[in-house]
Amino acid sequence: MDSYDEKDVPGGEEQARRPGPDAADGVPQAAPGAAAPAPTSEDVNPVGASDTAAFASGASDEAASAPGASATSAPGGSNTPAPAPGASAPASAPITAHESPAPGVPGRGIAGLSLPYQVAAALALAGVAVVGVVHIAMVFLHVAPSNTVTKQHGKVVDDWIYPEFEQNWKLFAPNPLQQNIAVQARAEIRMADGNRKTTGWIDLSAGDGSGIRGNPLPSHTQQNELRRGWEFFINSHTDDNKPNGLRGELSDRYIHRIVMLRLGARRDGGTVERVQVRSVTTSVKAPRWSDEKIDTRPYYRVVPWWTVTPADFPDGAGSADARTEAGR
């Protein structure tokens, strides 16, 4: 078939220059039944994003009205339909930093526990608070001057305070302790052949001190048992070592048990039959910058010998035969 030019057709040149009635300004109108042309690189990456968005919103309606044209979204445009003219955009949900839990949703802390656990936690906290208040009240009554409450309930206060919570003011003025007191003991031992021998003086305080040095958490027994036991003995006896009533007799039994716990029922291959205790008191030397003259000579207080009996051993201490020998 011979090709011909539109110029040969009468009125063809004018018809070619005349845009169609439904064509957009500056946009070639697709022929009826023809597919939409593929977008070029310039269409995919437009120079002005705002112009492209405006073009996409306006051209979509015109392309839809074209007969036979396929619905193709504008390059860079969204498939979401644009809102109707005059309609407001949907409001986005507000973003908050912290939202309270809805009713019925567990919270945090005690409120997040179930009811039985909430009751148990509340009772535990109440118990701790009550014990704290009682302890503060007991310490106050212990350090307070003698009054009606301490006269009537002094034993209850002492049972609560001693021995762990005792308040001792000897570290502070006006009379801080300026002496070193060492408690020593020696024993008379009956050997297996019937002979008896006497040991030298054994420094019990030095033994407790060696257990304290280098120990970040020394026990209350190592720190205070022997020292307080001897102090109890001195304060409840006369200068000639006679007990002052019931407290003196109680201090006798107490110091006997403390000493026997350290010496043991058997020593040096024999049985301990008699024990003697003494204290060595030495005043602390004055510092170099002081002109005070202090007598640093040791002073001794010697307690008479006593015979070891089964009562001098706490339950479980010592062997049965040692107790039998001590009871003879």
Side-chain angles (χ1 to χ4, degrees):
M1 178 181 295
D2 294 335
S3 60
Y4 63 93
D5 194 2
E6 291 181 353
K7 297 180 179 180
D8 299 337
V9 180
E13 183 177 358
E14 182 181 358
Q15 185 177 2
R17 291 196 302 265
R18 186 185 305 121
D22 295 334
D25 295 340
V27 179
Q29 181 67 28
T40 64
S41 59
E42 295 179 358
D43 295 332
V44 174
N45 298 316
V47 176
S50 59
D51 296 338
T52 304
F55 171 78
S57 60
S60 58
D61 295 337
E62 295 178 1
S65 62
S70 60
T72 305
S73 61
S78 173
N79 292 331
T80 304
S88 59
S92 59
I95 301 175
T96 58
H98 175 74
E99 296 183 357
S100 301
V105 178
R108 297 178 179 178
I110 297 180
L113 302 176
S114 61
L115 181 59
Y117 286 101
Q118 290 182 2
V119 174
L123 292 177
L125 293 176
V128 172
V130 170
V131 172
V133 171
V134 171
H135 179 70
I136 293 175
M138 290 295 185
V139 173
F140 173 78
L141 292 174
H142 177 68
V143 300
S146 179
N147 53 67
T148 304
V149 177
T150 56
K151 290 178 180 178
Q152 294 181 356
H153 306 286
K155 186 177 184 306
V156 177
V157 175
D158 291 343
D159 291 342
W160 181 279
I161 294 296
Y162 293 106
E164 297 295 338
F165 306 115
E166 178 187 3
Q167 307 297 309
N168 193 326
W169 302 103
K170 290 186 177 181
L171 180 63
F172 306 100
N175 295 316
L177 189 62
Q178 298 179 352
Q179 296 174 333
N180 291 322
I181 302 176
V183 180
Q184 301 175 349
R186 62 179 178 177
E188 183 181 279
I189 301 174
R190 187 174 64 85
M191 306 304 293
D193 56 2
N195 294 327
R196 286 177 170 82
K197 76 170 187 176
T198 302
T199 65
W201 289 103
I202 302 169
D203 196 337
L204 305 180
S205 298
D208 287 352
S210 62
I212 294 173
R213 294 186 185 93
N215 186 357
L217 297 173
S219 69
H220 177 76
T221 301
Q222 290 174 322
Q223 297 180 81
N224 300 316
E225 184 181 52
L226 179 60
R227 178 182 63 84
R228 292 309 312 274
W230 182 253
E231 188 176 284
F232 180 32
F233 179 87
I234 296 299
N235 294 334
S236 58
H237 283 70
T238 62
D239 292 339
D240 56 352
N241 298 315
K242 299 296 183 183
N244 291 328
L246 181 60
R247 287 180 61 83
E249 296 175 1
L250 180 62
S251 67
D252 278 339
R253 295 196 296 270
Y254 187 52
I255 198 65
H256 289 181
R257 288 193 173 191
I258 292 175
V259 171
M260 293 310 299
L261 279 173
R262 284 156 173 76
L263 293 180
R266 300 184 62 85
R267 195 174 187 88
D268 297 340
T271 302
V272 177
E273 289 191 336
R274 296 201 306 162
V275 174
Q276 187 178 30
V277 180
R278 74 176 183 181
S279 65
V280 183
T281 303
T282 307
S283 297
V284 178
K285 179 190 283 189
R288 295 179 180 179
W289 48 263
S290 176
D291 296 334
E292 185 180 2
K293 303 300 181 180
I294 298 177
D295 185 7
T296 57
R297 293 177 299 175
Y299 289 88
Y300 300 91
R301 177 164 180 169
V302 183
V303 178
W305 289 89
W306 83 80
T307 302
V308 177
T309 64
D312 295 334
F313 297 92
D315 293 340
S319 58
D321 58 344
R323 296 189 183 188
T324 302
E325 293 292 341
R328 291 182 179 178

Short mmCIF file of all heavy atoms in Angstrom, two decimals, residues 211-250:
data_model
loop_
_atom_site.label_atom_id
_atom_site.label_comp_id
_atom_site.label_asym_id
_atom_site.label_seq_id
_atom_site.Cartn_x
_atom_site.Cartn_y
_atom_site.Cartn_z
N GLY A 211 42.22 -13.40 116.26
CA GLY A 211 41.10 -13.75 115.39
C GLY A 211 40.41 -12.54 114.80
O GLY A 211 39.71 -12.65 113.78
N ILE A 212 40.61 -11.36 115.42
CA ILE A 212 39.97 -10.14 114.93
C ILE A 212 40.83 -9.46 113.88
O ILE A 212 40.32 -8.94 112.88
CB ILE A 212 39.69 -9.19 116.11
CG1 ILE A 212 38.65 -9.80 117.05
CG2 ILE A 212 39.21 -7.82 115.61
CD1 ILE A 212 38.45 -9.00 118.32
N ARG A 213 42.15 -9.44 114.08
CA ARG A 213 43.04 -8.74 113.16
C ARG A 213 42.98 -9.37 111.76
O ARG A 213 43.10 -10.57 111.60
CB ARG A 213 44.47 -8.78 113.67
CG ARG A 213 44.68 -8.00 114.96
CD ARG A 213 46.16 -7.94 115.34
NE ARG A 213 46.33 -7.31 116.64
CZ ARG A 213 46.39 -7.97 117.79
NH1 ARG A 213 46.31 -9.30 117.79
NH2 ARG A 213 46.54 -7.32 118.94
N GLY A 214 42.79 -8.51 110.77
CA GLY A 214 42.70 -8.98 109.39
C GLY A 214 41.35 -9.54 109.01
O GLY A 214 41.17 -9.95 107.86
N ASN A 215 40.42 -9.57 109.93
CA ASN A 215 39.08 -10.10 109.65
C ASN A 215 38.13 -8.92 109.46
O ASN A 215 37.87 -8.17 110.40
CB ASN A 215 38.61 -10.99 110.80
CG ASN A 215 37.27 -11.67 110.49
OD1 ASN A 215 36.67 -11.45 109.44
ND2 ASN A 215 36.83 -12.52 111.41
N PRO A 216 37.58 -8.71 108.25
CA PRO A 216 36.70 -7.56 108.05
C PRO A 216 35.37 -7.69 108.78
O PRO A 216 34.73 -6.67 109.05
CB PRO A 216 36.49 -7.55 106.52
CG PRO A 216 36.73 -8.96 106.10
CD PRO A 216 37.78 -9.49 107.02
N LEU A 217 34.97 -8.91 109.11
CA LEU A 217 33.69 -9.11 109.81
C LEU A 217 33.92 -10.03 111.02
O LEU A 217 33.48 -11.18 111.02
CB LEU A 217 32.66 -9.72 108.86
CG LEU A 217 32.26 -8.87 107.65
CD1 LEU A 217 31.36 -9.66 106.72
CD2 LEU A 217 31.56 -7.59 108.11
N PRO A 218 34.57 -9.53 112.05
CA PRO A 218 34.79 -10.38 113.24
C PRO A 218 33.48 -10.63 113.97
O PRO A 218 32.55 -9.81 113.93
CB PRO A 218 35.76 -9.54 114.08
CG PRO A 218 35.51 -8.13 113.67
CD PRO A 218 35.15 -8.19 112.21
N SER A 219 33.42 -11.75 114.66
CA SER A 219 32.20 -12.10 115.37
C SER A 219 32.07 -11.32 116.67
O SER A 219 33.05 -10.80 117.21
CB SER A 219 32.19 -13.62 115.67
OG SER A 219 33.19 -13.92 116.63
N HIS A 220 30.85 -11.24 117.15
CA HIS A 220 30.60 -10.57 118.42
C HIS A 220 31.28 -11.32 119.56
O HIS A 220 31.74 -10.70 120.53
CB HIS A 220 29.09 -10.51 118.66
CG HIS A 220 28.71 -9.91 119.97
ND1 HIS A 220 28.75 -8.55 120.22
CD2 HIS A 220 28.28 -10.48 121.13
CE1 HIS A 220 28.37 -8.32 121.46
NE2 HIS A 220 28.07 -9.46 122.02
N THR A 221 31.38 -12.63 119.46
CA THR A 221 32.04 -13.42 120.51
C THR A 221 33.52 -13.06 120.62
O THR A 221 34.05 -12.87 121.72
CB THR A 221 31.89 -14.92 120.21
OG1 THR A 221 30.50 -15.24 120.16
CG2 THR A 221 32.56 -15.75 121.28
N GLN A 222 34.19 -12.95 119.49
CA GLN A 222 35.62 -12.62 119.53
C GLN A 222 35.86 -11.21 120.06
O GLN A 222 36.85 -10.94 120.72
CB GLN A 222 36.21 -12.75 118.12
CG GLN A 222 36.30 -14.18 117.61
CD GLN A 222 36.76 -14.22 116.17
OE1 GLN A 222 36.39 -13.39 115.35
NE2 GLN A 222 37.57 -15.22 115.85
N GLN A 223 34.97 -10.30 119.77
CA GLN A 223 35.18 -8.91 120.17
C GLN A 223 34.82 -8.64 121.62
O GLN A 223 35.52 -7.88 122.30
CB GLN A 223 34.36 -7.98 119.27
CG GLN A 223 34.72 -8.02 117.81
CD GLN A 223 33.87 -7.08 117.01
OE1 GLN A 223 34.10 -5.88 116.95
NE2 GLN A 223 32.85 -7.62 116.37
N ASN A 224 33.74 -9.22 122.10
CA ASN A 224 33.16 -8.74 123.36
C ASN A 224 32.94 -9.79 124.44
O ASN A 224 32.78 -9.43 125.61
CB ASN A 224 31.82 -8.04 123.08
CG ASN A 224 31.97 -6.85 122.15
OD1 ASN A 224 32.88 -6.05 122.30
ND2 ASN A 224 31.07 -6.75 121.17
N GLU A 225 32.88 -11.07 124.10
CA GLU A 225 32.46 -12.06 125.10
C GLU A 225 33.40 -12.08 126.31
O GLU A 225 32.96 -11.93 127.45
CB GLU A 225 32.39 -13.44 124.46
CG GLU A 225 31.85 -14.51 125.42
CD GLU A 225 31.81 -15.87 124.77
OE1 GLU A 225 32.86 -16.29 124.23
OE2 GLU A 225 30.75 -16.52 124.81
N LEU A 226 34.68 -12.27 126.07
CA LEU A 226 35.63 -12.36 127.17
C LEU A 226 35.76 -11.01 127.90
O LEU A 226 35.76 -10.97 129.14
CB LEU A 226 37.00 -12.80 126.64
CG LEU A 226 38.12 -12.92 127.67
CD1 LEU A 226 37.76 -13.93 128.76
CD2 LEU A 226 39.44 -13.28 126.99
N ARG A 227 35.86 -9.95 127.15
CA ARG A 227 36.01 -8.63 127.77
C ARG A 227 34.81 -8.28 128.64
O ARG A 227 34.96 -7.84 129.79
CB ARG A 227 36.18 -7.57 126.67
CG ARG A 227 36.30 -6.14 127.18
CD ARG A 227 36.42 -5.17 126.03
NE ARG A 227 35.24 -5.18 125.18
CZ ARG A 227 34.15 -4.48 125.44
NH1 ARG A 227 34.08 -3.72 126.53
NH2 ARG A 227 33.12 -4.53 124.62
N ARG A 228 33.59 -8.48 128.13
CA ARG A 228 32.41 -8.15 128.91
C ARG A 228 32.20 -9.13 130.06
O ARG A 228 31.69 -8.76 131.13
CB ARG A 228 31.17 -8.14 128.00
CG ARG A 228 31.16 -7.02 126.97
CD ARG A 228 31.43 -5.66 127.59
NE ARG A 228 30.63 -5.41 128.75
CZ ARG A 228 29.39 -4.92 128.72
NH1 ARG A 228 28.85 -4.62 127.55
NH2 ARG A 228 28.71 -4.73 129.82
N GLY A 229 32.57 -10.40 129.85
CA GLY A 229 32.46 -11.36 130.95
C GLY A 229 33.37 -10.99 132.12
O GLY A 229 32.96 -11.08 133.29
N TRP A 230 34.59 -10.59 131.82
CA TRP A 230 35.50 -10.18 132.90
C TRP A 230 35.03 -8.88 133.56
O TRP A 230 35.14 -8.72 134.78
CB TRP A 230 36.91 -10.04 132.36
CG TRP A 230 37.91 -9.67 133.41
CD1 TRP A 230 38.52 -8.46 133.59
CD2 TRP A 230 38.38 -10.52 134.45
NE1 TRP A 230 39.36 -8.50 134.66
CE2 TRP A 230 39.29 -9.77 135.23
CE3 TRP A 230 38.15 -11.84 134.81
CZ2 TRP A 230 39.96 -10.29 136.33
CZ3 TRP A 230 38.81 -12.37 135.91
CH2 TRP A 230 39.70 -11.60 136.66
N GLU A 231 34.52 -7.96 132.79
CA GLU A 231 34.00 -6.72 133.35
C GLU A 231 32.80 -7.00 134.26
O GLU A 231 32.65 -6.38 135.32
CB GLU A 231 33.60 -5.79 132.19
CG GLU A 231 33.22 -4.39 132.63
CD GLU A 231 32.93 -3.51 131.43
OE1 GLU A 231 33.89 -3.09 130.77
OE2 GLU A 231 31.74 -3.27 131.13
N PHE A 232 31.96 -7.93 133.85
CA PHE A 232 30.83 -8.34 134.69
C PHE A 232 31.32 -8.96 135.99
O PHE A 232 30.78 -8.69 137.08
CB PHE A 232 29.97 -9.33 133.89
CG PHE A 232 28.76 -9.84 134.62
CD1 PHE A 232 28.08 -9.06 135.54
CD2 PHE A 232 28.29 -11.13 134.37
CE1 PHE A 232 26.97 -9.54 136.20
CE2 PHE A 232 27.18 -11.61 135.03
CZ PHE A 232 26.51 -10.81 135.95
N PHE A 233 32.37 -9.75 135.91
CA PHE A 233 32.93 -10.39 137.11
C PHE A 233 33.50 -9.34 138.07
O PHE A 233 33.25 -9.39 139.28
CB PHE A 233 34.02 -11.39 136.70
CG PHE A 233 34.69 -12.09 137.84
CD1 PHE A 233 34.16 -13.26 138.36
CD2 PHE A 233 35.86 -11.59 138.40
CE1 PHE A 233 34.77 -13.92 139.41
CE2 PHE A 233 36.48 -12.23 139.46
CZ PHE A 233 35.93 -13.40 139.97
N ILE A 234 34.26 -8.38 137.58
CA ILE A 234 34.88 -7.36 138.43
C ILE A 234 33.83 -6.49 139.11
O ILE A 234 33.92 -6.18 140.31
CB ILE A 234 35.85 -6.49 137.60
CG1 ILE A 234 37.02 -7.34 137.08
CG2 ILE A 234 36.36 -5.32 138.41
CD1 ILE A 234 37.85 -7.97 138.17
N ASN A 235 32.81 -6.09 138.35
CA ASN A 235 31.79 -5.19 138.90
C ASN A 235 30.87 -5.86 139.91
O ASN A 235 30.16 -5.15 140.66
CB ASN A 235 30.96 -4.58 137.77
CG ASN A 235 31.77 -3.67 136.88
OD1 ASN A 235 32.77 -3.09 137.33
ND2 ASN A 235 31.34 -3.52 135.64
N SER A 236 30.84 -7.18 139.94
CA SER A 236 29.94 -7.88 140.86
C SER A 236 30.70 -8.61 141.98
O SER A 236 30.13 -9.48 142.64
CB SER A 236 29.09 -8.89 140.09
OG SER A 236 29.89 -9.82 139.40
N HIS A 237 31.99 -8.26 142.18
CA HIS A 237 32.80 -8.84 143.24
C HIS A 237 33.50 -7.72 144.02
O HIS A 237 33.73 -6.62 143.50
CB HIS A 237 33.86 -9.81 142.68
CG HIS A 237 33.32 -11.14 142.29
ND1 HIS A 237 32.50 -11.31 141.20
CD2 HIS A 237 33.48 -12.38 142.86
CE1 HIS A 237 32.17 -12.60 141.08
NE2 HIS A 237 32.76 -13.27 142.09
N THR A 238 33.82 -8.05 145.26
CA THR A 238 34.58 -7.11 146.08
C THR A 238 36.05 -7.15 145.68
O THR A 238 36.46 -7.96 144.83
CB THR A 238 34.41 -7.47 147.56
OG1 THR A 238 34.94 -8.79 147.78
CG2 THR A 238 32.94 -7.44 147.97
N ASP A 239 36.84 -6.31 146.33
CA ASP A 239 38.27 -6.27 146.01
C ASP A 239 38.99 -7.55 146.39
O ASP A 239 40.04 -7.88 145.80
CB ASP A 239 38.93 -5.09 146.73
CG ASP A 239 38.46 -3.75 146.18
OD1 ASP A 239 37.96 -3.72 145.03
OD2 ASP A 239 38.58 -2.73 146.91
N ASP A 240 38.43 -8.31 147.35
CA ASP A 240 39.03 -9.60 147.70
C ASP A 240 38.32 -10.76 147.01
O ASP A 240 38.37 -11.90 147.46
CB ASP A 240 39.02 -9.79 149.22
CG ASP A 240 37.62 -9.67 149.81
OD1 ASP A 240 36.68 -9.28 149.05
OD2 ASP A 240 37.44 -9.95 151.00
N ASN A 241 37.65 -10.44 145.88
CA ASN A 241 37.04 -11.45 145.00
C ASN A 241 35.90 -12.22 145.65
O ASN A 241 35.67 -13.40 145.35
CB ASN A 241 38.11 -12.43 144.50
CG ASN A 241 39.18 -11.74 143.67
OD1 ASN A 241 38.89 -10.92 142.80
ND2 ASN A 241 40.44 -12.05 143.98
N LYS A 242 35.12 -11.55 146.51
CA LYS A 242 33.93 -12.15 147.08
C LYS A 242 32.71 -11.70 146.27
O LYS A 242 32.56 -10.51 145.96
CB LYS A 242 33.75 -11.73 148.54
CG LYS A 242 34.90 -12.14 149.46
CD LYS A 242 35.01 -13.65 149.56
CE LYS A 242 36.12 -14.06 150.54
NZ LYS A 242 36.30 -15.53 150.62
N PRO A 243 31.81 -12.62 145.91
CA PRO A 243 30.66 -12.22 145.08
C PRO A 243 29.68 -11.35 145.85
O PRO A 243 29.45 -11.55 147.04
CB PRO A 243 30.03 -13.56 144.69
CG PRO A 243 30.48 -14.52 145.73
CD PRO A 243 31.83 -14.07 146.19
N ASN A 244 29.10 -10.39 145.13
CA ASN A 244 28.09 -9.51 145.70
C ASN A 244 26.70 -10.05 145.36
O ASN A 244 26.08 -9.64 144.37
CB ASN A 244 28.24 -8.08 145.17
CG ASN A 244 29.49 -7.40 145.68
OD1 ASN A 244 29.93 -7.65 146.79
ND2 ASN A 244 30.08 -6.54 144.85
N GLY A 245 26.22 -10.99 146.15
CA GLY A 245 24.88 -11.50 145.96
C GLY A 245 24.76 -12.41 144.75
O GLY A 245 25.71 -13.04 144.28
N LEU A 246 23.53 -12.43 144.22
CA LEU A 246 23.21 -13.35 143.12
C LEU A 246 23.97 -13.00 141.85
O LEU A 246 24.40 -13.89 141.11
CB LEU A 246 21.70 -13.32 142.86
CG LEU A 246 21.18 -14.25 141.76
CD1 LEU A 246 21.49 -15.70 142.09
CD2 LEU A 246 19.68 -14.05 141.58
N ARG A 247 24.14 -11.72 141.54
CA ARG A 247 24.87 -11.33 140.33
C ARG A 247 26.32 -11.78 140.40
O ARG A 247 26.91 -12.18 139.39
CB ARG A 247 24.79 -9.82 140.12
CG ARG A 247 23.42 -9.33 139.65
CD ARG A 247 23.43 -7.82 139.46
NE ARG A 247 24.41 -7.40 138.47
CZ ARG A 247 24.21 -7.39 137.17
NH1 ARG A 247 23.03 -7.79 136.69
NH2 ARG A 247 25.14 -6.97 136.34
N GLY A 248 26.92 -11.74 141.59
CA GLY A 248 28.29 -12.22 141.73
C GLY A 248 28.40 -13.70 141.46
O GLY A 248 29.34 -14.17 140.79
N GLU A 249 27.45 -14.49 141.98
CA GLU A 249 27.47 -15.94 141.73
C GLU A 249 27.24 -16.24 140.25
O GLU A 249 27.86 -17.16 139.68
CB GLU A 249 26.41 -16.62 142.59
CG GLU A 249 26.66 -16.49 144.10
CD GLU A 249 25.53 -17.07 144.92
OE1 GLU A 249 24.56 -17.60 144.30
OE2 GLU A 249 25.59 -17.01 146.17
N LEU A 250 26.36 -15.47 139.62
CA LEU A 250 26.11 -15.67 138.19
C LEU A 250 27.34 -15.34 137.36
O LEU A 250 27.69 -16.05 136.41
CB LEU A 250 24.92 -14.81 137.75
CG LEU A 250 24.53 -14.90 136.27
CD1 LEU A 250 24.10 -16.30 135.90
CD2 LEU A 250 23.40 -13.90 135.96
#
